Amino acid sequence: MPPRKRTRPTLGFLCCFSSSEPPEINLKDSVPLQLLEFSAPMPPEEELHARFSELVDELDLTDKNREAMFALPAEKKWQIYCSKKKEQEDPNKLATSWPDYYIDRINSMAAMQTLFAFDEDEMEMRNKVVEDLKTALRTQPMRFVTRFIELDGLTCLLNFLKSMDYETSESRIHTSIIGCIKALMNNSQGRAHVLAHPQSINTISQSLRQDNIKTKVAVLEILGAVCLVPDGHKKVLQAMVHYQKYAAERTRFQSLLNELDRSTGHYRDEVNLKTAIMSFINAVLNAGVGEDSLEFRLHLRYEFLMLGIQPVIEKLRAHDNATLDRHLDFFEIVRNEDELELAKRFDITHVDTKSAGQMFELIKKKLSNTDAYTHLLSILQHCLQMPYKRGAGSIQQWQLLDRILQQIVLQDEKGENPDVSPLDNFNTLEQGTEPPTAPQAPQHWLPTTPGVCSGCVCVHYCVCALGWVKCRAQIPSMGYHTWPHKETGSTDDLYVSSRKVKELSVIDGRRAQNCVILLSKLKMSNEEIKRAILEMDEREELAKDMLEQLLKFVPEKSDIDLLEEHKYELERMARADRFLFEMSRIDHYQQRLQSLFFKKKFAERLAEIKPKVEAILCASREVMRSKRLTQVLEVVLAFGNFMNKGQRGNAYGFKVSSLNKIIDTKSSIDRNITMLHYLIMIFEKNYPDILNIQQDLATVPEAAKVNLAELEKEVFVIRSGLKALEAELRYQQSRACDRGDKFVPVVSDFITVASFSFSELEELLAEAKDKFSKSLKHFGEEEGCMQPDEFFGIFDIFLQSFSEARHDLENMQRRKEEEERRMRMEAMLKDQREREKRAKKSTGGSVSEEVGEFDDLVSALRSGEVFDKDSKLKRNRKRSVNQLVDGGGRERPVTKVNY
């Protein structure tokens, strides 16, 4: 065979070409090959060979197909040559034999679609132009594709995709344009050109937003196949990030999961779309870096699992479609394999990635005797200080921490991330914050609120949570500068005005400043504050926190003495001095404030204490009345006596503190199975009602949080407060009432109601203590030896362990069923491959419906053949896993973090 005139890039793997069967000759013309009457006699062998070589080069065939073509008899070669030449010379095709025609027509269509509304016939004509181009890209000689690339035909197609109106985007034209790109990629040069284009894959991904199912399926098949070609996988991930922004998704892949879960009511279209989505997801997970990297597969799969793919997969089983089930099975098979491999690193059989507790214990166990343990503690300590309230600012900081960890796990030896870099353009500040153009020296960064401060010593850039503001800040030559909060008003209102030269101040400067800040928050005059206190704040003008702050600024005796000396200079007094002086004129000012604060806090304190008392009372009743708990204890006692035969057996009972020891009693055969697991299996088989034990002990978890000594202390504080309030009432009743003073009537009514409510609380507490004492006696514990949090905490831990053990058993059963299903599926697939192989041998091979490498790859991806056990992808996976196991489960060294 003569040497090739040009070289062509090869795909990373093509499972459909990996068999030992003779390659098929894939030729597809616009008309089928026929036995033709030769218009000219067959030339000599050497000339025929030269002409045929030129034709084969034009067809852009693979090496194996080229060999098959050259192995044909001379007569067959001449027949093929004449057939192709006759087609090329057809006068009806001369006008459309060059890409110039199609590019001009498509450009015109793009320009006209925004100007005119087309009827059905015109839309059909427009679609025919695009369909003809798709056919030409598949069947015309290589020079057609080369010319199409030189004329930037790809950009023409991409621009059409970007400029479509809604009607066109939902029509067959859209699907046909995608088909043209797919046909172009079926050619080696065309495929390289598409992949080299900086925006091609991104633009193609935008077509996922349309409602046309055929368009979505075509796009997903292209993206899935691109994942499988060299350097294509990361481009697809980048395209999905681009699509996330384009479609305003919360996360990438969100729309795909929504489509996977959505029901359209049309079985065939729905199954086709869901199959395309699942084949794409499997390609994203397992191709590219995913062929060899367990970390990468786990990383991407967690993203899909957090979007809720697992329950959707169970739902898709209802379609009962063999091809779809094949992709679903492959997803779950590889997931199980990866989870087993992850578990091997921790010397266990399964890692429950839904359980924060188990994952923490595994990490703790692995690092406990290493130098990294102190860093784990540091990470946890700082996590305790992370924001936890709901809001955009809070979640972004947790996202940043998450993405830093992803970067560490995924980066390769060069510190590069095979996924789209998770730290690109990431900012924990709110959107719209931009840094100054010029960097500033570190000592010039000052925290402040947005605004411009008076003074002009130096100019600084200041950073805050709301934005970057340019601030002219006057730095005092002595002391320090206090930056006011936004709500406290301007500096003139708070501090500067209080330091006028003629103002008189006799109290401590720092105390005066803090007092002024408090008064500015109150936004009330001294007269209004005085009136509110005398009226016991009937108008609800003083909030509880403001009253608590006012109690910090009660005039002291030394303040009162100094202020009395200057009472004739009241107009000259600074604001804080005038406030303290006027408040000191109120009789029993401090006692009035304390009474008002107690009155406002009383209902809140009662509401905090009462549920704790009720929890002890209800939990005491529950543990004594629960038949299910009694049955559990009976079975545990029976097992204990059976296991402790001899002197330690035949016990009449056991301490409740021993209950949770069954959690630590492990099987000698499987260390992951505890006595509690075995008990639950017994309950499921013989006493299924016991499994509902948590219904009997619903209040126990709350009671486990209550310390009786602290509870009695809180009740004592309320009792003391009521007594102090009654004493102040008697004092106020003994003196003449000032005008506007409503202390006596308001407090009298309050004490009447509050005393009744408090008496109820004391009675409830006495009953709870009595029930708790009886529950201790019921379980053989001495009164006074255990607090409620300790006693009920034993049952609470047992209930948690009981729930976790049931979850463990469910997972074990699920994994067992999945393994059995996987084995059945593999056996079925093996049998199917054998039948296909025998059928192919018996027919001697047939012409493929689709032509070219990319079409073969799409076809293999669609059917799931690309994920078969015998494919290169699976062989690479197996090899990488074996290397990992042979390496003793060692982890690769962590390289630098690039961010």
Side-chain angles (χ1 to χ4, degrees):
M1 184 183 73
R4 301 198 57 156
K5 294 184 179 178
R6 53 188 169 80
T7 59
R8 54 192 305 285
T10 58
L11 296 180
F13 67 91
L14 283 174
C15 62
C16 43
F17 292 151
S18 62
S19 69
S20 59
E21 296 297 317
E24 299 174 355
I25 302 173
N26 294 328
L27 291 175
K28 188 174 183 182
D29 299 324
S30 57
V31 294
L33 290 176
Q34 299 175 355
L35 292 177
L36 303 175
E37 293 184 3
F38 300 150
S39 58
M42 186 169 64
E45 183 178 354
E46 185 175 346
E47 182 180 347
L48 172 61
H49 189 76
R51 291 188 188 184
F52 192 70
S53 296
E54 183 181 354
L55 173 63
V56 171
D57 285 336
E58 290 285 354
L59 294 177
D60 190 48
L61 300 177
T62 63
D63 290 337
K64 289 185 178 181
N65 284 347
R66 281 173 60 85
E67 292 177 4
M69 288 284 284
F70 280 106
L72 293 172
E75 291 78 8
K76 187 68 173 177
K77 291 179 182 177
W78 181 237
Q79 178 186 351
I80 293 172
Y81 178 80
C82 291
S83 175
K84 297 299 289 185
K85 287 300 180 182
K86 181 179 180 181
E87 177 190 342
Q88 294 170 12
E89 294 170 1
D90 186 346
N92 295 325
K93 294 189 176 182
L94 291 178
T96 60
S97 60
W98 287 101
D100 312 55
Y101 165 79
Y102 296 105
I103 292 174
D104 289 342
R105 288 294 304 274
I106 292 174
N107 282 333
S108 298
M109 288 161 53
M112 292 170 63
Q113 66 180 343
T114 58
L115 301 176
F116 304 102
F118 297 96
D119 59 26
E120 186 174 344
D121 291 339
E122 290 169 327
M123 290 291 283
E124 186 63 33
M125 290 176 59
R126 287 152 58 87
N127 185 61
K128 187 177 185 307
V129 171
V130 182
E131 281 291 316
D132 288 346
L133 172 61
K134 181 173 73 172
T135 302
L137 288 170
R138 289 182 180 277
T139 61
Q140 288 293 321
M142 186 64 194
R143 59 178 178 270
F144 182 95
V145 177
T146 304
R147 176 69 174 168
F148 184 82
I149 292 173
E150 290 173 351
L151 293 175
D152 210 4
L154 175 62
T155 300
C156 167
L157 297 176
L158 296 176
N159 287 340
F160 188 92
L161 288 178
K162 290 188 286 187
S163 65
M164 288 183 298
D165 57 18
Y166 175 78
E167 185 178 359
T168 306
S169 68
E170 295 299 334
S171 70
R172 289 193 299 155
I173 297 175
H174 190 171
T175 312
S176 299
I177 290 286
I178 297 295
C180 288
I181 298 175
K182 180 181 173 185
L184 180 62
M185 296 183 74
N186 211 41
N187 177 283
S188 58
Q189 290 188 18
R191 181 166 57 254
H193 182 63
V194 172
L195 292 176
H197 192 286
Q199 293 299 324
S200 62
I201 308 301
N202 287 359
T203 304
I204 293 169
S205 72
Q206 292 177 189
S207 295
L208 289 171
R209 199 174 187 184
Q210 312 309 320
D211 292 331
N212 190 313
I213 289 182
K214 290 184 178 179
T215 301
K216 288 182 180 179
V217 170
V219 171
L220 288 167
E221 288 181 343
I222 289 178
L223 295 178
V226 168
C227 284
L228 305 177
V229 302
D231 302 322
H233 190 268
K234 190 164 186 176
K235 288 182 180 293
V236 172
L237 292 179
Q238 291 169 340
M240 295 313 297
V241 173
H242 167 81
Y243 180 76
Q244 175 189 348
K245 298 174 183 176
Y246 173 78
E249 289 182 319
R250 182 174 55 85
T251 62
R252 63 181 179 181
F253 307 124
Q254 179 182 337
S255 291
L256 290 182
L257 264 295
N258 292 343
E259 290 286 354
L260 200 62
D261 191 37
R262 188 167 65 94
S263 177
T264 64
H266 302 284
Y267 178 82
R268 184 178 298 277
D269 288 344
E270 185 172 328
V271 167
N272 287 343
L273 177 58
K274 295 181 187 307
T275 301
I277 293 173
M278 282 307 305
S279 64
F280 170 75
I281 290 174
N282 282 331
V284 166
L285 287 174
N286 297 280
V289 180
E291 287 190 38
D292 304 311
S293 173
L294 172 66
E295 292 84 358
F296 186 80
R297 293 194 300 276
L298 290 172
H299 157 73
L300 282 185
R301 192 180 294 110
Y302 289 150
E303 192 168 341
F304 286 108
L305 290 173
M306 284 192 294
L307 287 170
I309 193 174
Q310 194 60 49
V312 175
I313 286 177
E314 299 302 324
K315 181 179 174 182
L316 293 179
R317 298 284 183 187
H319 287 291
D320 196 22
N321 179 273
T323 305
L324 177 57
D325 285 346
R326 191 177 190 182
H327 290 287
L328 299 177
D329 289 335
F330 182 76
F331 179 90
E332 295 191 314
I333 288 169
V334 178
R335 179 187 176 187
N336 290 337
E337 290 175 353
D338 288 348
E339 289 181 351
L340 285 172
E341 191 56 42
L342 177 65
K344 285 181 183 178
R345 297 183 176 183
F346 298 93
D347 298 323
I348 59 176
T349 58
H350 177 64
V351 176
D352 185 1
T353 53
K354 291 183 179 179
S355 169
Q358 186 189 9
M359 290 189 290
F360 171 74
E361 288 299 327
L362 291 175
I363 297 170
K364 177 184 174 184
K365 181 180 179 181
K366 189 171 185 179
L367 299 181
S368 58
N369 296 319
T370 68
D371 294 338
Y373 187 71
T374 56
H375 297 289
L376 173 63
L377 288 178
S378 176
I379 291 171
L380 295 174
Q381 289 163 0
H382 286 86
C383 281
L384 290 175
Q385 303 173 53
M386 288 279 281
Y388 59 89
K389 294 182 180 178
R390 293 184 177 181
S394 172
I395 190 63
Q396 281 190 317
Q397 295 186 36
W398 286 102
Q399 283 177 339
L400 177 60
L401 179 59
D402 183 15
R403 294 185 181 186
I404 290 174
L405 290 173
Q406 291 179 28
Q407 178 83 345
I408 293 172
V409 171
L410 295 180
Q411 65 185 1
D412 57 21
E413 291 75 8
K414 297 179 182 179
E416 297 176 353
N417 194 328
D419 194 359
V420 180
S421 180
L423 297 178
D424 284 350
N425 302 320
F426 193 86
N427 192 337
T428 58
L429 301 181
E430 293 187 15
Q431 295 299 320
T433 302
E434 294 184 5
T437 54
Q440 304 295 314
Q443 63 267 28
H444 288 168
W445 294 109
L446 300 174
T448 184
T449 54
V452 179
C453 302
S454 60
C456 187
V457 175
C458 59
V459 176
H460 303 284
Y461 279 97
C462 309
V463 64
C464 68
L466 296 179
W468 299 78
V469 294
K470 193 173 182 180
C471 173
R472 299 181 177 275
Q474 182 175 2
I475 310 300
S477 56
M478 297 183 65
Y480 62 92
H481 187 84
T482 303
W483 297 95
H485 294 286
K486 185 176 181 180
E487 63 269 20
T488 62
S490 67
T491 307
D492 291 337
D493 292 332
L494 298 183
Y495 192 72
V496 176
S497 63
S498 68
R499 290 302 183 188
K500 295 178 181 177
V501 177
K502 295 183 180 180
E503 283 188 344
L504 172 66
S505 179
V506 296
I507 62 177
D508 177 71
R510 183 186 292 270
R511 189 161 180 251
Q513 182 180 353
N514 292 335
C515 182
V516 170
I517 292 173
L518 171 62
L519 293 174
S520 66
K521 290 181 179 180
L522 271 174
K523 298 179 180 178
M524 297 173 66
S525 67
N526 292 349
E527 287 300 321
E528 290 172 333
I529 296 173
K530 181 177 180 180
R531 172 186 50 74
I533 292 172
L534 290 174
E535 294 179 351
M536 293 301 286
D537 196 25
E538 282 190 326
R539 306 183 190 183
E540 296 293 335
E541 296 172 295
L542 299 173
K544 292 191 291 291
D545 58 333
M546 290 293 103
L547 280 172
E548 194 171 12
Q549 293 300 315
L550 282 173
L551 282 168
K552 298 177 182 178
F553 295 98
V554 172
E556 298 175 358
K557 187 176 185 307
S558 58
D559 295 331
I560 295 174
D561 292 341
L562 286 172
L563 291 169
E564 280 290 328
E565 292 178 11
H566 298 278
K567 65 182 178 181
Y568 300 109
E569 301 178 273
L570 186 61
E571 295 301 323
R572 288 183 54 204
M573 283 186 183
R575 186 177 181 188
D577 297 64
R578 190 184 305 116
F579 169 76
L580 293 178
F581 175 76
E582 293 183 6
M583 294 305 109
S584 69
R585 314 300 289 177
I586 301 176
D587 184 51
H588 271 216
Y589 170 68
Q590 181 174 359
Q591 290 84 347
R592 284 176 178 269
L593 274 184
Q594 290 170 338
S595 299
L596 182 55
F597 183 66
F598 177 84
K599 175 179 175 292
K600 284 181 175 288
K601 289 281 290 185
F602 179 79
E604 181 182 320
R605 286 171 172 167
L606 229 62
E608 290 176 355
I609 294 174
K610 193 173 181 180
K612 299 178 183 178
V613 178
E614 290 174 338
I616 294 178
L617 178 60
C618 293
S620 299
R621 289 171 177 166
E622 287 173 354
V623 296
M624 286 191 293
R625 294 176 180 176
S626 174
K627 294 181 179 179
R628 294 183 177 114
L629 177 59
T630 302
Q631 287 178 304
V632 168
L633 299 178
E634 288 174 354
V635 175
V636 171
L637 178 61
F639 267 84
N641 283 332
F642 176 78
M643 296 172 67
N644 297 323
K645 291 180 180 178
Q647 295 180 351
R648 297 178 61 191
N650 300 320
Y652 292 101
F654 58 89
K655 293 286 187 181
V656 290
S657 57
S658 303
L659 180 62
N660 289 323
K661 292 183 180 179
I662 63 175
I663 304 168
D664 301 321
T665 306
K666 298 184 177 181
S667 166
S668 58
I669 300 174
D670 186 349
R671 304 298 292 173
N672 293 313
I673 299 294
T674 67
M675 183 178 173
L676 182 57
H677 288 103
Y678 186 71
L679 283 174
I680 292 174
M681 288 188 279
I682 296 297
F683 295 153
E684 288 177 340
K685 184 176 181 180
N686 301 306
Y687 314 103
D689 185 58
I690 292 180
L691 299 176
N692 300 316
I693 186 174
Q694 288 178 314
Q695 297 176 7
D696 289 2
L697 308 176
T699 318
V700 165
E702 289 301 316
K705 302 174 185 176
V706 181
N707 183 284
L708 188 58
E710 291 293 327
L711 187 62
E712 290 180 320
K713 183 178 179 182
E714 292 175 13
V715 173
F716 174 78
V717 170
I718 296 179
R719 186 184 299 112
S720 301
L722 271 175
K723 288 182 179 179
L725 190 61
E726 291 169 350
E728 183 60 23
L729 177 62
R730 288 193 294 271
Y731 169 78
Q732 294 293 343
Q733 288 172 333
S734 67
R735 58 181 292 276
C737 181
D738 296 332
R739 182 179 179 182
D741 188 348
K742 299 182 179 180
F743 184 91
V744 173
V746 171
V747 172
S748 296
D749 292 344
F750 171 74
I751 288 179
T752 301
V753 176
S755 298
F756 178 77
S757 299
F758 183 69
S759 297
E760 286 184 331
L761 176 65
E762 287 188 311
E763 291 173 3
L764 190 66
L765 178 61
E767 184 182 2
K769 290 169 67 176
D770 179 63
K771 289 293 183 185
F772 177 63
S773 177
K774 289 179 179 178
S775 66
L776 288 176
K777 185 178 180 181
H778 179 78
F779 287 95
E781 302 291 340
E782 294 183 12
E783 184 179 353
C785 293
M786 296 180 77
Q787 287 285 330
D789 52 349
E790 181 184 358
F791 177 72
F792 294 116
I794 294 171
F795 295 104
D796 184 38
I797 292 173
F798 176 77
L799 291 176
Q800 292 181 35
S801 303
F802 193 90
S803 177
E804 291 175 1
R806 284 193 68 187
H807 184 63
D808 291 343
L809 290 172
E810 289 172 0
N811 285 339
M812 292 176 191
Q813 181 62 27
R814 178 180 58 82
R815 289 196 298 272
K816 180 181 178 182
E817 292 172 356
E818 288 176 351
E819 180 63 20
E820 291 173 351
R821 184 169 63 187
R822 183 186 66 81
M823 293 176 66
R824 289 196 304 269
M825 186 63 188
E826 287 190 351
M828 184 178 68
L829 291 177
K830 183 178 180 181
D831 182 62
Q832 179 182 339
R833 285 195 299 271
E834 291 294 329
R835 289 199 307 270
E836 291 174 353
K837 195 172 182 180
R838 289 193 298 269
K840 192 172 183 181
K841 284 183 177 179
S842 65
T843 59
S846 60
V847 179
S848 173
E849 291 184 358
E850 295 181 308
V851 183
E853 298 175 356
F854 199 74
D855 275 340
D856 289 333
L857 194 55
V858 169
S859 179
L861 179 65
R862 184 189 304 140
S863 66
E865 184 183 356
V866 77
F867 303 120
D868 278 353
K869 188 175 181 180
D870 296 332
S871 72
K872 181 180 177 183
L873 183 147
K874 293 289 286 183
R875 292 198 300 274
N876 287 353
R877 174 77 45 74
K878 185 175 181 180
R879 183 171 61 253
S880 65
V881 169
N882 289 339
Q883 290 172 351
L884 184 61
V885 175
D886 293 341
R890 296 191 300 272
E891 297 180 50
R892 58 175 175 75
V894 176
T895 55
K896 64 179 181 178
V897 182
N898 295 329
Y899 59 89

